[in-house]
Amino acid sequence: MIKMYDLAGEDENRRFSPYCWRIRMALAHKGMDVECIPWRFTEKDKIKFSGQEKVPVLIDGNNTVTDSWDIANYLENKYPYSPSLKMFNGEVIFIKFWVENVLHPEILRLLVLDIHNHLKSEDQSYFRESREKLLGKSLEEVVANRQDRLPNLQKLLNPLRSTLSKQKYLSGETPGFSDYIVFGAFQWARCVSGFSILNADDIIYNWRDKMLNIYEGLALNAVGYQV
Amino acid sequence: MIKMYDLAGEDENRRFSPYCWRIRMALAHKGMDVECIPWRFTEKDKIKFSGQEKVPVLIDGNNTVTDSWDIANYLENKYPYSPSLKMFNGEVIFIKFWVENVLHPEILRLLVLDIHNHLKSEDQSYFRESREKLLGKSLEEVVANRQDRLPNLQKLLNPLRSTLSKQKYLSGETPGFSDYIVFGAFQWARCVSGFSILNADDIIYNWRDKMLNIYEGLALNAVGYQV
């Protein structure tokens, strides 16, 4: 069975990495089982064999694959099965970079303290130091008045909102890897925080609800908050 | 032959609408000839038969099709020819909305006065009034200090830049409708202004250069500026 190192919080069942969620959903898309191994930020040694220091790390027999984009391409090329299990189109990579350059940084600035608070204590100091350096202020200062910054998030979500008003999924009639990439960002939020970033009357909320429920509620049943 | 109403400036050969450019490129993609009929903003009567007031308007035999997205879908469904002439993937619509919600407004704020200056005089007053209402200040005020706002544009182009560092076109190995949508924005700029919005060492510039040259230099040979 395929194995994957998956970022965990203090509760080892709290799996919140948006990059790992992409791959969890991609594996479910392909109908493949996976054994997820909980991993913490400070356990660099445990994945040293992969030649780098980040998760997800996928182990498929003799193959070790890192980087969520490369893993998704590996799965797409190695396990195409049938056209109906295709996940990729050319434009998916634009959505990947939009998520990583635009959406993730905005969500991070809302929830960085919640992420911190769900980490094991040895991870907390690593996380606080590295993220405060990245963000240029204390985690507490970053999230102060976060309610006031929700309109920024809502505004940058407009292309996603318009897309979902025209078709069921980003990918079209059925979900694809672009959906898993964007969903990963919302699942990241949902796994660490009760702070609500989507209103129930938002079409994005409805889409997220569908995403939570596919694959037998894989994401719905994950340890997280009801937001 | 297919006919298309195409937005024109005072010089009837200056065709600068980003929405019309999408369709010009899409028709070239399909290998189809088109007769482009110059049309100005104030000539609402001339396209009244289409049931709305905007270009592009496509006339294909007995079919009249409006809205660039609907026209592209019409062409894709009616003239697929072969898989190699496919233009669409599910995610293209996200890129459409990103361009229209994010990229176009930013470019408009840089070049709105240049657009105005290339219009026929009767269009100029219509354009000034409607755009000043939209933007909440005079066209001259909108473009003041535009040089200082170029970094904003460069920042929001990052997902496009990252994409083109990984693959030749937005669509993958060959150009597709997502490329035509984004290219339309740059061609809009190039047709109305000598103000340079892309640096020659930018990977987006290189991609735009390829787009200018495909289809026998269709876009390169259009009336515009060498920027």
Side-chain angles (χ1 to χ4, degrees), chain B residues 59-123:
Chain B
I59 302 163
D60 181 21
N62 291 321
N63 297 322
T64 297
V65 195
T66 61
D67 183 281
S68 67
W69 182 253
D70 292 342
I71 293 171
N73 275 281
Y74 170 84
L75 295 173
E76 183 78 342
N77 295 323
K78 183 145 190 211
Y79 301 103
Y81 288 115
S82 72
S84 72
L85 294 179
K86 187 174 176 286
M87 290 194 298
F88 269 100
N89 287 314
E91 287 82 2
V92 172
I93 197 167
F94 178 87
I95 293 174
K96 163 194 155 70
F97 286 119
W98 177 79
V99 165
E100 295 173 11
N101 295 343
V102 180
L103 183 55
H104 279 181
E106 194 72 22
I107 293 179
L108 184 69
R109 283 175 172 78
L110 297 171
L111 304 181
V112 66
L113 188 59
D114 300 282
I115 298 170
H116 170 272
N117 293 343
H118 279 296
L119 299 178
K120 264 189 120 166
S121 59
E122 51 267 47
D123 274 18

Side-chain angles (χ1 to χ4, degrees), chain B residues 8-222:
Chain B
E10 181 176 25
D11 174 355
E12 74 161 30
N13 293 316
R14 188 177 305 273
R15 307 293 174 86
F16 58 93
S17 159
Y19 301 97
C20 293
W21 270 106
R22 295 177 185 181
I23 302 305
R24 291 291 304 281
M25 299 298 277
L27 287 162
H29 180 113
K30 298 284 184 185
M32 297 169 74
D33 287 330
V34 59
E35 181 195 337
C36 287
I37 304 162
W39 176 90
R40 271 98 179 196
F41 281 117
T42 47
E43 298 176 331
K44 308 286 186 200
D45 278 357
K46 287 197 183 169
I47 56 169
K48 208 171 178 181
F49 67 91
S50 71
Q52 51 85 64
E53 299 189 328
K54 289 180 174 169
V55 292
V57 172
L58 190 92
I59 302 163
D60 181 21
N62 291 321
N63 297 322
T64 297
V65 195
T66 61
D67 183 281
S68 67
W69 182 253
D70 292 342
I71 293 171
N73 275 281
Y74 170 84
L75 295 173
E76 183 78 342
N77 295 323
K78 183 145 190 211
Y79 301 103
Y81 288 115
S82 72
S84 72
L85 294 179
K86 187 174 176 286
M87 290 194 298
F88 269 100
N89 287 314
E91 287 82 2
V92 172
I93 197 167
F94 178 87
I95 293 174
K96 163 194 155 70
F97 286 119
W98 177 79
V99 165
E100 295 173 11
N101 295 343
V102 180
L103 183 55
H104 279 181
E106 194 72 22
I107 293 179
L108 184 69
R109 283 175 172 78
L110 297 171
L111 304 181
V112 66
L113 188 59
D114 300 282
I115 298 170
H116 170 272
N117 293 343
H118 279 296
L119 299 178
K120 264 189 120 166
S121 59
E122 51 267 47
D123 274 18
Q124 286 188 337
S125 41
Y126 160 80
F127 185 84
R128 178 179 288 276
E129 193 182 339
S130 60
R131 270 46 175 189
E132 290 188 346
K133 195 173 168 190
L134 177 77
L135 298 165
K137 42 183 135 172
S138 76
L139 302 186
E140 287 75 8
E141 285 169 326
V142 172
V143 302
N145 304 111
R146 62 181 174 178
Q147 193 72 39
D148 301 340
R149 278 177 291 116
L150 272 179
N152 288 346
L153 176 68
Q154 297 310 325
K155 189 182 172 200
L156 70 82
L157 287 172
N158 277 337
L160 177 63
R161 197 166 280 124
S162 300
T163 295
L164 296 171
S165 74
K166 292 281 187 180
Q167 58 189 37
K168 282 188 194 165
Y169 297 96
L170 267 159
S171 189
E173 278 301 294
T174 57
F177 197 59
S178 54
D179 293 277
Y180 308 146
I181 290 172
V182 180
F183 174 73
F186 292 107
Q187 183 71 346
W188 177 36
R190 190 177 180 276
C191 288
V192 296
S193 181
F195 182 69
S196 176
I197 60 173
L198 287 176
N199 293 323
D201 61 357
D202 190 335
I203 199 163
I204 300 174
Y205 186 97
N206 298 334
W207 162 84
R208 193 198 58 156
D209 207 47
K210 282 187 283 185
M211 297 300 293
L212 284 168
N213 282 282
I214 56 175
Y215 309 134
E216 298 174 334
L218 173 65
L220 182 68
N221 297 321

